Amino acid sequence: MKETKNISRSRAQESSAAIEKMYITMRHLFNRGFYKPMGISGDTLREALLALRPEIYGNIAEEKVELNGLLYVIERLPMGIEECRFINLTSDEGYSRSHFKAIVPPKRRRNCYRIDEEQMNVEITRGRSDIYDILTHLTFIFIESHKIRNRVLLDDAGEVSRDWMKLEQAVSQTKKLSLIDKEKAISHAANILGRTFEDVLNIYDAFGSEVAPDRFLQIIFWLGKLAIEEIVSNKKRTITFSPILRERLGHHIHGEIWATNIKEVLKEKGLLDRPIHVISANMHSVMNSIFATTVLKTQFKDKSDFFIYEELSKSGAHEVRNKVEEVALKHGMISLPDTSGTNIDVQIFDTSKVDWAKSSFPSAKFGDKEPVLIVMDYAFGEQAYETIDELLKPFKKDILLNVESVSIMGKAGILEGGKGDIMIPNAHINEGTADNYFFENELTADMFEGNDIAVFAGAMVTVLGTSLQNRDLLKFFHESTWGVIGLEMEGSYYQKAIQSASKIRKSVPHDIKVRYAYYASDNPLETGSTLASGGLGTTGVKPTYLITIKILEQIFNVK
């Protein structure tokens, strides 16, 4: 028994070392300005990722191609990136004013531009976490591409297998494949990938879209084609970091513009001297929690509040959502879509303009001055520090903001429990460093009891990226005296900014209140429950609104 414990412990240590190595290597490559992922310069990154074997990338260390991990990554990268030999990471350098059309990945908000047949530019405006995210994803798909190459390239002269030639024929078709041709192509693709026909058939449509129903075959073909060219013709894929990106990164350029825009609007509306509550959440739950049930009560007679929230969360519910938004905009909500490049939209609520008798909080009580809510969309990793740090700074260097509380609601991985459960942290531990932040959370686990949702309280770990999570390391964090209940990407960065603003720089009140609550999007310790296994669906609706309502009850002094 003791021996097994030592082995698993050493695996956790190996994983921790691999994450640290990746972190340092990525910073080194960024400073260098370019590298070839499948060349000597990319060796360390590839080796560290293979040593780590993150849960999300499933079979990365095996010969067969990992399909769920590939789908997860492709949804977070721009369409067509698999065809590009040159990937250029840039800052916001004016491409939005050009003829180039922005390509936005379905599951990651970043603007990308296809410059020509061989080059894709990816705009990085959300800080270092964005770079770690994209580099690990690219490293993964390049490793997978060489698995394809290994199975189809028969010799160094470039002779390829029959399966590969048949796949190339299918991909070269300009029209949509018939069912028979599609199944023939899947059969050849399955051989190339080392997977069963059924494996490929089950995931095939998830890669496609109305415009490109057979995109799966395109992706496999182009990944393999570029990997073959790397070996046969020595045409190595290259990732470059633009000089402007290297110069700007870490200087809070986008965060400063974003925060100044918000403060300018507060000044213009005469709200700067009011008590302010910052809430990091999505762009619908606060608005819906205040207004939706009264606006839609005639439409959804005798239905529970959570039923209404679920209806509002459905993908085709534009009409009901617009109704609620219309009322909110007439009663104190100001919408600020992002123009700074942070990709973080904002809503400001002037509570003095809300008719509380016709809201979901009729017993709301305020002091002499009604509060102002600043609701910001989710930040991404280290970007959380940049945005909150800038927001809590004085306006024009001398007007201090009276920020009474900062509330963070987010999605996180859980280590005990399942999708949709709630986590209430009392500390954030920063992975890969010795930083840890203990705080008094205004929210407690008891507040959420009795709602048919499991609630866990304890420390949480802020990770460098969801794509780096490794079971042995998470198990260690969970089962050791750290007692970690979950993992997310922003918590310690928010807390670092709040602590420095309130305790050191004194730009906001010393006794600022903090609230953190997360709902579980996945359990990386359970096979089949990682982020690669798919989204939350409506499972996330109840915990999202439950957390939002508890935050608002505290701000509105509802007992």
Side-chain angles (χ1 to χ4, degrees):
M1 190 69 202
K2 196 173 179 186
E3 195 181 329
T4 315
K5 191 178 175 190
N6 287 340
I7 290 168
S8 69
R9 180 68 198 273
S10 70
R11 285 225 184 103
Q13 288 169 329
E14 272 172 31
S15 305
S16 184
I19 287 176
E20 201 174 341
K21 195 186 269 189
M22 287 195 77
Y23 183 60
I24 293 162
T25 305
M26 286 193 274
R27 291 187 87 135
H28 162 70
L29 294 171
F30 174 74
N31 291 332
R32 183 182 183 225
F34 76 97
Y35 80 106
K36 294 179 177 174
M38 300 313 287
I40 293 164
S41 50
D43 275 353
T44 314
L45 210 50
R46 290 199 313 275
E47 283 165 16
L49 197 63
L50 287 165
L52 188 61
R53 296 196 296 279
E55 296 310 305
I56 224 156
Y57 296 152
N59 305 312
I60 188 170
E62 295 175 24
E63 277 184 33
K64 60 183 177 183
V65 172
E66 165 55 36
L67 297 179
N68 285 325
L70 187 61
L71 177 61
Y72 178 85
V73 168
I74 287 294
E75 288 179 330
R76 284 153 181 81
L77 293 173
M79 192 156 179
I81 198 164
E82 68 279 0
E83 301 172 17
C84 297
R85 252 182 67 215
F86 300 97
I87 295 162
N88 188 20
L89 305 192
T90 72
S91 179
D92 179 358
E93 298 176 19
Y95 284 98
S96 57
R97 296 184 190 154
S98 68
H99 77 280
F100 296 111
K101 193 169 180 291
I103 306 167
V104 181
K107 298 280 178 78
R108 256 312 168 263
R109 287 172 298 178
R110 48 166 83 100
N111 290 335
C112 309
Y113 300 92
R114 183 78 179 262
I115 305 302
D116 54 38
E117 282 181 10
E118 290 190 310
Q119 183 181 333
M120 180 73 78
N121 280 14
V122 180
E123 267 184 17
I124 302 289
T125 55
R126 306 178 77 174
R128 282 196 186 89
S129 296
D130 223 1
I131 293 177
Y132 304 147
D133 186 61
I134 201 161
L135 289 190
T136 46
H137 287 344
L138 289 172
T139 304
F140 165 73
I141 65 167
F142 293 164
I143 289 171
E144 296 301 301
S145 74
H146 275 265
K147 289 183 190 175
I148 297 168
R149 186 266 304 169
N150 284 337
R151 299 183 77 96
V152 300
L153 190 61
L154 304 178
D155 60 27
D156 292 346
E159 191 183 342
V160 289
S161 68
R162 178 176 176 274
D163 284 316
W164 183 253
M165 289 189 277
K166 292 291 183 185
L167 178 66
E168 189 168 7
Q169 278 174 21
V171 167
S172 60
Q173 300 288 327
T174 48
K175 58 183 188 298
K176 185 183 172 184
L177 294 177
S178 68
L179 180 65
I180 293 169
D181 288 341
K182 173 180 142 180
E183 290 187 348
K184 283 179 184 174
I186 288 175
S187 175
H188 296 300
N191 282 345
I192 289 165
L193 303 173
R195 306 298 295 243
T196 66
F197 178 83
E198 189 180 21
D199 285 345
V200 178
L201 190 64
N202 287 343
I203 205 162
Y204 189 91
D205 290 337
F207 281 86
S209 63
E210 280 182 35
V211 189
D214 302 306
R215 188 168 178 228
F216 177 81
L217 300 176
Q218 297 278 349
I219 289 165
I220 300 305
F221 172 72
W222 280 100
L223 287 178
K225 180 178 163 67
L226 294 189
I228 290 167
E229 285 177 1
E230 285 190 316
I231 298 300
V232 176
S233 315
N234 202 27
K235 290 181 176 175
K236 292 273 190 276
R237 283 171 282 197
T238 306
I239 294 175
T240 50
F241 306 92
S242 80
I244 306 294
L245 175 66
R246 287 156 67 205
E247 183 187 298
R248 286 180 179 174
L249 197 78
H251 292 298
H252 291 200
I253 286 165
H254 300 287
E256 188 178 359
I257 297 165
W258 175 82
T260 305
N261 288 345
I262 295 168
K263 292 169 197 170
E264 293 281 8
V265 171
L266 292 176
K267 181 178 182 249
E268 184 194 316
K269 304 287 182 187
L271 305 174
L272 269 176
D273 62 335
R274 301 259 289 276
I276 292 169
H277 297 269
V278 178
I279 303 173
S280 172
N282 51 50
M283 286 289 97
H284 53 258
S285 62
V286 172
M287 173 180 76
N288 289 344
S289 296
I290 297 172
F291 298 105
T293 48
T294 45
V295 172
L296 302 172
K297 67 182 172 193
T298 49
Q299 194 168 337
F300 297 106
K301 277 189 184 127
D302 308 323
K303 297 291 185 188
S304 72
D305 291 1
F306 287 111
F307 177 86
I308 295 172
Y309 300 142
E310 274 196 23
E311 287 299 308
L312 283 159
S313 302
K314 288 179 178 169
S315 56
H318 306 297
E319 199 183 312
V320 276
R321 279 204 290 266
N322 292 344
K323 262 189 197 176
V324 178
E325 192 173 352
E326 216 174 283
V327 171
L329 288 166
K330 284 179 187 163
H331 292 88
M333 185 177 97
I334 303 157
S335 185
L336 297 179
D338 181 61
T339 54
S340 68
T342 58
N343 275 314
I344 298 176
D345 296 335
V346 171
Q347 293 163 338
I348 296 171
F349 292 83
D350 176 358
T351 60
S352 68
K353 294 189 176 169
V354 178
D355 182 349
W356 290 104
K358 291 181 181 171
S359 77
S360 300
F361 301 91
S363 59
K365 290 190 288 291
F366 307 116
D368 305 338
K369 293 180 176 177
E370 286 105 330
V372 171
L373 310 183
I374 298 174
V375 181
M376 58 182 278
D377 209 342
Y378 299 121
F380 186 71
E382 274 188 51
Q383 188 193 30
Y385 176 75
E386 176 179 337
T387 47
I388 292 289
D389 186 55
E390 292 297 332
L391 187 58
L392 300 186
K393 281 181 183 172
F395 179 52
K396 303 256 167 111
K397 294 192 176 169
D398 57 351
I399 301 170
L400 299 179
L401 302 184
N402 180 19
V403 181
E404 291 193 350
S405 75
V406 179
S407 304
I408 312 296
M409 175 185 73
K411 264 194 304 197
I414 196 166
L415 299 180
E416 185 184 332
K419 289 186 178 188
D421 291 350
I422 289 175
M423 290 159 277
I424 307 294
N426 55 22
H428 285 294
I429 301 155
N430 214 358
E431 179 187 60
T433 71
D435 301 352
N436 48 70
Y437 301 88
F438 181 81
F439 48 84
E440 292 294 330
N441 194 343
E442 296 295 313
L443 299 173
T444 63
D446 298 348
M447 294 175 185
F448 295 90
E449 297 293 350
N451 288 290
D452 296 329
I453 292 178
V455 189
F456 300 88
M460 290 186 72
V461 63
T462 299
V463 299
L464 286 172
T466 49
S467 52
L468 295 181
Q469 283 334 290
N470 159 280
R471 187 174 304 219
D472 299 304
L473 187 57
L474 293 175
K475 223 169 172 182
F476 165 71
F477 267 128
H478 180 51
E479 292 173 5
S480 69
T481 49
W482 285 110
V484 164
I485 56 168
L487 58 142
E488 47 74 57
M489 281 183 66
E490 293 81 26
S492 66
Y493 300 116
Y494 280 126
Q495 192 57 26
K496 178 162 70 165
I498 295 164
Q499 271 181 214
S500 58
S502 60
K503 306 289 191 280
I504 302 168
R505 302 168 86 164
K506 310 282 196 294
S507 56
V508 295
H510 182 77
D511 58 353
I512 188 169
K513 291 180 165 72
V514 294
R515 302 179 189 91
Y516 290 92
Y518 300 92
Y519 59 93
S521 56
D522 64 301
N523 184 334
L525 292 182
E526 280 181 16
T527 307
S529 294
T530 66
L531 278 172
S533 68
L536 268 167
T538 53
T539 317
V541 173
K542 190 172 180 182
T544 300
Y545 281 91
L546 203 53
I547 293 167
T548 307
I549 289 162
K550 294 297 175 192
I551 289 170
L552 293 177
E553 281 178 352
Q554 290 199 349
I555 294 170
F556 301 155
N557 297 307
V558 175
K559 292 289 177 272

